[in-house]
């Protein structure tokens, strides 16, 4: 009887994990589908969004997150929640890319060029292997067993919906930097 009980609790836990995974996949897909249709465009300073995203990770002592903040007003016109999700996804990826490093170091920086603000997120992980670089923004592409493979596809869709673009530079053994470029809003 003891074994049956143990087995049924194990099966129940596995089922719960599977259900959570499926609901995460369903959630990712619905968010992916709704990026263009559920837009809530606002004018805001991109640094306000970065500030709140950075605060989320500041509490974790295993992560050393350095934000090289540009002073000034970098007003964009976009969906604030989507951009917040975009940067959160990129930081999560940077953390995962850092692998087994004792302290995970991540640098967030900004610069302005051609009337666009560029935010970049750099990790010091293993870099993206050449054969994966072409596919990285494709839906269903993932290097993780637990991922849905929509993380970077969602990032790309969010950036493009905000009339921006996303790209990366990587070197094996040195790390990867993702760049997100967004048009600065015209002054009203």
């Amino acid at each position: 009887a003891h074994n049956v009980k143990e087995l049924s609790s194990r099966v129940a836990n596995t089922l719960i994990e599977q259900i959570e995974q499926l609901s995460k996949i369903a959630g990712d897909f619905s968010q992916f589908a709704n990026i263009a249709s559920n837009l809530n465009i606002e004018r805001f300073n991109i640094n306000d969004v970065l500030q709140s995203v950075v605060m989320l990770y500041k509490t974790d002592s295993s992560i050393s997150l350095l934000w090289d903040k540009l002073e000034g007003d970098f007003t964009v016109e976009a969906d604030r929640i989507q951009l917040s999700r975009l940067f959160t996804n990129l930081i999560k990826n940077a953390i995962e890319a850092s692998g087994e490093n004792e302290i995970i170091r991540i640098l967030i920086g900004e610069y302005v060029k051609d009337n666009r603000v560029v935010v970049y997120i750099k990790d010091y992980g293993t870099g993206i292997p050449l054969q994966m670089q072409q596919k990285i923004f494709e839906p269903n592409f993932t290097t993780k067993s637990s991922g849905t493979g929509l993380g970077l596809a969602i990032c790309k869709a969010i950036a493009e919906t905000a009339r921006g673009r996303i790209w990366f530079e990587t070197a094996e053994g040195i790390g990867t930097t993702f760049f997100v470029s967004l048009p600065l809003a015209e002054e009203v």
Side-chain angles (χ1 to χ4, degrees), residues 2-12:
H2 175 68
N3 283 355
V4 171
K5 204 170 166 189
E6 192 185 317
L7 181 66
S8 60
S9 97
R10 246 208 330 255
V11 168

Side-chain angles (χ1 to χ4, degrees), residues 86-147:
L86 164 61
F87 294 125
T88 306
N89 270 2
L90 289 178
I91 292 172
K92 269 191 197 148
N93 279 0
I95 291 167
E96 279 158 9
S98 301
E100 302 304 307
N101 299 353
E102 283 289 294
I103 291 277
I104 293 172
R105 287 167 55 227
I106 294 167
L107 172 67
I108 300 177
E110 307 164 271
Y111 61 88
V112 173
K113 188 180 177 191
D114 302 333
N115 222 17
R116 301 172 82 81
V117 59
V118 180
V119 176
Y120 59 89
I121 295 172
K122 174 171 176 48
D123 68 57
Y124 298 86
T126 50
I128 302 166
L130 193 61
Q131 67 276 20
M132 292 181 182
Q133 291 178 18
Q134 299 298 320
K135 300 195 189 107
I136 196 154
F137 292 113
E138 287 176 11
N140 307 327
F141 175 77
T142 180
T143 55
K144 305 188 293 290
S145 55
S146 65

Side-chain angles (χ1 to χ4, degrees), residues 167-182:
W167 71 97
F168 64 89
E169 290 171 5
T170 189
E172 289 200 48
I174 293 171
T176 304
T177 306
F178 277 91
F179 299 83
V180 177
S181 156
L182 297 163

Side-chain angles (χ1 to χ4, degrees), residues 73-86:
D73 181 25
F74 306 106
T75 302
V76 295
E77 279 180 5
D79 185 310
R80 183 191 285 257
I81 292 170
Q82 285 190 7
L83 282 190
S84 170
R85 177 136 197 257
L86 164 61

